[in-house]
Amino acid sequence: MMRLFFLNIITIFHYCKADDYHHFQNLTLGESYTNLTTKGDLITSLFTVHLENNLTLSAFRVSIASDSASLNNPFNVNFYHAKTIHNIVLPRVQTQNGKSFEYLFASDTLCDNNRSTIQLHQPIHLSVASYSQSVFSLKVESVENFLIGSNKFNSSASPSAPRYYMYTFPDDVDKVNIRVTSETEICGKIVTRQVKCPLFEASGLVELSDAHFFQTFTKFAGFSIRKNYIGRQFHIAFIVNPDETLCGKPSNLIGIFGNLDRIKNATILISPVDEHKFLSVVPLLVYMTSIAIVLTLTYVKFKFMDSHENNELDVFAETNSEGIVVVDKVWLFEPPSMVVSHNEYQKQGLVKDSKYFNFLFFQVFGFVLPAGITLFVSRQQNRNNLDVCYLNYLCSLDVFGFNAFNSMTSSSSIAVIGILNLIIVFRKKIFRYQVPRFPTSHGVQKRQAPKVVFLLGLCAVGIWSIVTVNCPRSYTYHLNYFTRLWVWHSITMWIYSKRHGIQKWQQLYILAFSSASQFLALAANIFELSGVPGFIIKILFAMLSFSSTAFFCFKYYFQRPSGIQENQWIVSPLQTVECVLSEQNNVYRPLKSKLALMTCLMLSTFFCATLPCISNSLLYVAILLVASGQCQIYLYYYIIQKIRFERKSFKKSYMFYTVTIFAIMAINEFSSGILLSRSFTSDVSLTPAKSREMNANCFLPGTDWKDILNYSSAFDLLMIMIFMDFIDSNLKSVPKKHIFVF
């Protein structure tokens, strides 16, 4: 590098003395010259390009190539245009990720601070020198589309031939959208910075100013620029990276190296944005409509289902005597020898609802604070790096200081459902509201603790999305698995508690499995483990899933129902103390259908957990499949058991409402599946450039498919909650000791 420095100084000295013993060779603007030869011994060859005053000029580009250039025989070119001086050295050497790349061709655009007409029509002088005689090609041309308007134009660049242009904000425009598209997957970069010279170094790398943005891309790059941040004028530079390391992983590079010259063509469009349009109001209207639906359904559910304590009859219509309610078990249910009932009302055995607010501690300190702090710190450090945010730049609504206002509003709908229903559950404590009731053992015991965990899970999903969706990052996305696993497991435990009660191991199960899964997801996605380490992570997840499901099945099969004495229940294989049993006919046993459920759960878990090991499926997909599969199988089993044992207690109104709610859930699940296939507009498991290839246009103005999926998911979770509250309403007048456990 010192040799190149001295070569540059000597060349400038020779140029200063050129009038004494050299003459200039005239060149024509826009014409290509080949087979030109340097004199060697650092003797400069001088050229000049005279410009006609009647030409409309905006900028000039100089291109030079020489196959004779090398590190031992560097080739130096200096350009002088009025007060502008620029230098090119061949071979042009660029360094990226510790690798050096040499190019025998270079093309640069002159950066003129003074862009007056007098300045632009000044002659262009060139001096060329090398250590030994070398043949080279030279071309000086005017740059088309240098001053960017509102029309799209095509540009072509390579690693040693970057391109840049200039845009001027109209007086009535404060914000513009930049869109760059390309047909090839060659890795490139788009940089916007304040108008300031010089723009490029001698090696062709861009010099960044304080006010700048950059984004790598393959087929699409897009972002917004505001006048108050970058200034009235800015440069947009189109650069091609020397290799693909910044845009793709080795597995994604197949077929990209067909173009050895790495020439990339792109279409550039800068369009003004009118922020006073109706566009920014559309997400708010969609949001208010969805929230109105949520409020209406929540009020109706509270009015008809949550207003009575314990899902029982009205206090003025019921009595504390069980003798008034006559239930014929012979015709209502199967013979009691097949099933086990709740023999008594054990209120003292409940886990209080407030105990489940321990989950709130894990929510706040486990994911809200880490996500918020991480995003705040990274935003301060990388505010100019638009690669860190995995957004749908074709539809993200940049208003009110947010990068994706539409996604924030749609994500918050899930949190609204959780918060509203938490207020309803704890309305007595919040509003000091208490209705006097007589103690009774009718109906299904009201178990709000699992519901509280479910509602806290909704708040977790919604709040996490609100915090992170403005700038999704790959290193915070594992927290999403934690919150969504929480929701699925809470529904499973809610179903479990309806017949088996609430125990402390349930909350520990949710926290342990969710936390372990998110750490495995963090290791797999953040550190991008592959090969043997990645396979070990997949094996650990399979072992975790299989062992946790086996633990749940064990607890489910051998848990002794309330009211059944120890000598009236089967002996657990892990029980060390031998129980004194009564006669065989007096020992209650679990339903044989439990074995079918356990078999389905184990097979489903085995298939979903081993899927990443035998295919290219991502680990986080398997994590969600395990939890959601267990929940859905258990729910279907519960419905089948109700029909099997309690079908004669179904009234027409109960059947109508149950079938209607379940049909709505099924239709919404089917619709969500269709929306899910369309909502993949970004992917944090890919590089930012590859993720932006998935960007898609809006479904509605300011609302993309992922927003519609968020609203659909919120509605689906609300219907699940209504269904869970309503499913056992047929038993509210039945004495608890006659309700069977399955």
Side-chain angles (χ1 to χ4, degrees), residues 460-480:
V461 174
I463 294 174
W464 177 88
S465 298
I466 295 172
V467 172
T468 60
V469 77
N470 187 51
C471 185
R473 311 290 178 91
S474 58
Y475 49 81
T476 60
Y477 204 70
H478 65 282
L479 298 172
N480 180 51

Side-chain angles (χ1 to χ4, degrees), residues 184-458:
T184 62
E185 295 188 6
I186 297 175
C187 185
K189 181 186 290 186
I190 289 295
V191 182
T192 58
R193 48 157 278 184
Q194 289 178 329
V195 171
K196 182 180 179 181
C197 292
L199 182 64
F200 291 101
E201 301 174 349
S203 61
L205 300 179
V206 66
E207 294 184 355
L208 302 178
S209 61
D210 293 335
H212 73 276
F213 294 102
F214 67 90
Q215 194 175 79
T216 58
F217 79 103
T218 52
K219 292 187 176 182
F220 172 75
F223 49 91
S224 300
I225 294 292
R226 293 184 179 274
K227 184 194 298 185
N228 58 4
Y229 178 76
I230 205 167
R232 182 172 175 269
Q233 292 181 325
F234 65 86
H235 287 148
I236 176 170
F238 171 29
I239 304 168
V240 178
N241 291 342
D243 62 11
E244 307 298 327
T245 54
L246 297 181
C247 291
K249 302 175 184 178
S251 59
N252 296 330
L253 303 184
I254 299 175
I256 296 180
F257 297 105
N259 189 346
L260 299 179
D261 295 329
R262 293 186 64 77
I263 298 175
K264 186 175 182 65
N265 298 315
T267 301
I268 301 175
L269 173 63
I270 299 181
S271 56
V273 178
D274 186 2
E275 295 190 293
H276 302 289
K277 289 183 178 180
F278 184 69
L279 179 64
S280 59
V281 185
V282 174
L284 291 178
L285 294 177
V286 176
Y287 176 75
M288 289 187 293
T289 302
S290 63
I291 295 302
I293 296 174
V294 170
L295 290 172
T296 302
L297 292 177
T298 304
Y299 173 77
V300 171
K301 186 179 76 70
F302 164 72
K303 187 69 175 177
F304 293 99
M305 298 174 61
D306 292 339
S307 57
H308 300 305
E309 184 72 15
N310 207 30
N311 277 338
E312 298 169 356
L313 298 175
D314 187 79
V315 66
F316 300 107
E318 67 180 5
T319 176
N320 60 343
S321 173
E322 295 185 10
I324 298 178
V325 180
V326 179
V327 179
D328 188 355
K329 291 196 298 180
V330 176
W331 68 267
L332 188 61
F333 302 113
E334 298 289 342
S337 61
M338 296 179 58
V339 294
V340 180
S341 64
H342 289 281
N343 278 354
E344 61 184 29
Y345 187 88
Q346 289 188 333
K347 189 173 183 180
Q348 66 273 13
L350 285 176
V351 178
K352 293 183 179 180
D353 300 348
S354 58
K355 292 293 184 181
Y356 274 74
F357 266 91
N358 294 333
F359 281 90
L360 189 60
F361 172 84
F362 289 94
Q363 286 183 331
V364 173
F365 294 97
F367 72 91
V368 174
L369 287 181
I373 294 174
T374 302
L375 293 178
F376 175 78
V377 173
S378 60
R379 178 177 175 83
Q380 300 302 317
Q381 296 176 347
N382 301 305
R383 63 181 303 178
N384 304 115
N385 186 356
L386 296 177
D387 273 346
V388 296
C389 296
Y390 286 78
L391 294 172
N392 180 12
Y393 287 92
L394 286 175
C395 192
S396 296
L397 196 59
D398 180 17
V399 295
F400 306 129
F402 300 107
N403 295 330
F405 177 73
N406 54 318
S407 298
M408 293 182 65
T409 54
S410 63
S411 300
S412 64
S413 59
I414 300 178
V416 169
I417 294 175
I419 294 172
L420 286 177
N421 285 275
L422 279 174
I423 294 174
I424 292 175
V425 171
F426 294 97
R427 63 188 182 278
K428 293 186 296 183
K429 296 181 180 180
I430 295 175
F431 303 107
R432 297 293 186 268
Y433 170 75
Q434 186 71 40
V435 175
R437 297 193 178 275
F438 299 102
T440 179
S441 62
H442 289 81
V444 177
Q445 179 180 324
K446 186 175 184 180
R447 308 185 193 280
Q448 292 284 29
K451 182 178 179 179
V452 169
V453 178
F454 170 72
L455 296 176
L456 287 173
L458 298 187

Side-chain angles (χ1 to χ4, degrees), residues 481-482 485 489 508-523 535-553 601-602 604-606 608-610 612-613 619-620 622-624 626-627 630:
Y481 313 141
F482 182 37
L485 283 175
H489 288 315
L508 297 177
Y509 177 89
I510 296 175
L511 289 174
F513 185 78
S514 301
S515 301
S517 297
Q518 75 155 332
F519 283 122
L520 292 178
L522 174 65
F535 186 75
I536 293 176
I537 292 295
K538 296 176 181 179
I539 292 296
L540 290 176
F541 168 70
M543 296 173 58
L544 171 67
S545 302
F546 202 73
S547 59
S548 62
T549 305
F551 174 80
F552 174 80
C553 292
L601 290 178
M602 296 299 291
S604 173
T605 301
F606 179 79
C608 296
T610 57
C613 299
L619 185 65
Y620 76 89
I623 290 175
L624 296 180
V626 169
Q630 290 180 356

